[in-house]
Amino acid sequence: DAGVIQSPRHEVTEMGQEVTLRCKPISGHNSLFWYRQTMMRGLELLIYFNNNVPIDDSGMPEDRFSAKMPNASFSTLKIQPSEPRDSAVYFCASSLSRGQSPNQPQHFGDGTRLSIL
Amino acid sequence: RKEVEQDPGPFNVPEGATVAFNCTYSNSASQSFFWYRQDCRKEPKLLMSVYSSGNEDGRFTAQLNRASQYISLLIRDSKLSDSATYLCVVNMARVGGKLIFGQGTELSVKP
């Protein structure tokens, strides 16, 4: 079975450029999560969607970050303009939330390693 | 205070050793608990959920103490392949909600 698919795997760009990260969740999963991981701050949740609707975006650093989920099989995380401090590994994860069933585990993609010069 | 705190590590142990990781969480309303494993430059992967009664999966045993807001992971007969970072994870919701990750504890198992 295909897991969570992220693209690109690596991105190196100059500061000020727009960066778009893409994610395809596992088919049938209805929750999608975007995380950022750095050595200093560990793994931080940026935003998550349930049934394509943003539920909690309190982790989004600032207005330069935006995320969309136009349909159940695709999401984007955009940074515009990018800055060197945005350099990190960005993970997308998905899970299945079913009614009142306990939380199901999240499955992570391979991540996008982003370097802003 | 961080929402989820773990032993700083790194833990360097010989093969065959038993190693224990501890984790505390600050929000008493937390509902779901997990241990994830992350290999170097890889994505986090679920190792095991943690249930109130404690649970075991092969060489791995997880315990939860709600009164003390404490979670533990015990690895018996450690293998070289156990070398990784172990992340303590908490969710305040029983359904939906978001995961809060600890900083992780690095384990290195030596021959």
Side-chain angles (χ1 to χ4, degrees):
Chain A
D1 288 342
V4 175
I5 299 172
Q6 291 187 244
S7 64
R9 292 291 302 275
H10 303 271
E11 173 95 10
V12 180
T13 192
E14 293 184 345
M15 64 178 293
Q17 298 298 306
E18 178 179 290
V19 173
T20 299
L21 310 182
R22 297 173 176 80
C23 176
K24 177 177 168 52
I26 292 173
S27 178
H29 282 189
N30 59 357
S31 295
L32 183 141
F33 307 80
W34 282 102
Y35 292 89
R36 177 173 68 177
Q37 188 173 36
T38 61
M39 287 292 292
M40 289 295 294
R41 300 174 67 89
L43 198 60
E44 302 173 284
L45 178 69
L46 301 176
I47 184 171
Y48 82 94
F49 296 83
N50 188 252
N51 294 321
N52 311 339
V53 176
I55 303 300
D56 185 343
D57 65 354
S58 59
M60 295 286 263
E62 47 197 274
D63 291 346
R64 297 185 298 105
F65 285 68
S66 62
K68 293 182 180 179
M69 191 164 186
N71 57 63
S73 59
F74 183 67
S75 177
T76 59
L77 177 68
K78 189 171 291 188
I79 308 172
Q80 167 63 21
S82 57
E83 296 182 3
R85 60 192 169 120
D86 301 330
S87 298
V89 181
Y90 290 80
F91 287 106
C92 176
S94 71
S95 70
L96 176 62
S97 296
R98 288 183 290 204
Q100 293 302 307
S101 297
N103 287 311
Q104 297 299 304
Q106 293 183 12
H107 299 266
F108 283 73
D110 291 338
T112 295
R113 283 161 178 76
L114 177 64
S115 295
I116 308 297
L117 307 177
Chain B
R1 182 185 172 189
K2 291 182 180 176
E3 291 179 273
V4 179
E5 295 201 66
Q6 296 185 238
D7 286 348
F11 283 46
N12 296 303
V13 303
E15 264 187 298
T18 296
V19 60
F21 301 138
N22 304 315
C23 170
T24 56
Y25 58 96
S26 61
N27 193 322
S28 59
S30 299
Q31 296 285 336
S32 307
F33 309 91
F34 309 91
W35 283 101
Y36 275 69
R37 169 192 169 133
Q38 186 173 24
D39 291 283
C40 186
R41 300 182 68 79
K42 297 283 191 178
E43 75 277 17
K45 291 184 179 178
L46 178 70
L47 178 65
M48 58 196 303
S49 301
V50 186
Y51 303 118
S52 296
S53 55
N55 49 298
E56 189 174 303
D57 182 2
R59 298 181 293 109
F60 299 83
T61 301
Q63 297 278 352
L64 168 64
N65 184 323
R66 286 188 181 269
S68 303
Q69 294 177 209
Y70 173 92
I71 307 162
S72 66
L73 176 68
L74 185 76
I75 305 176
R76 291 181 300 278
D77 188 24
S78 53
K79 312 290 185 191
L80 297 177
S81 57
D82 294 333
S83 298
T85 296
Y86 291 82
L87 301 162
C88 176
V89 185
V90 170
N91 190 332
M92 283 185 283
R94 185 174 179 274
V95 178
K98 61 185 185 184
L99 299 182
I100 309 297
F101 284 77
Q103 286 283 84
T105 301
E106 184 182 345
L107 172 65
S108 179
V109 181
K110 306 292 188 184

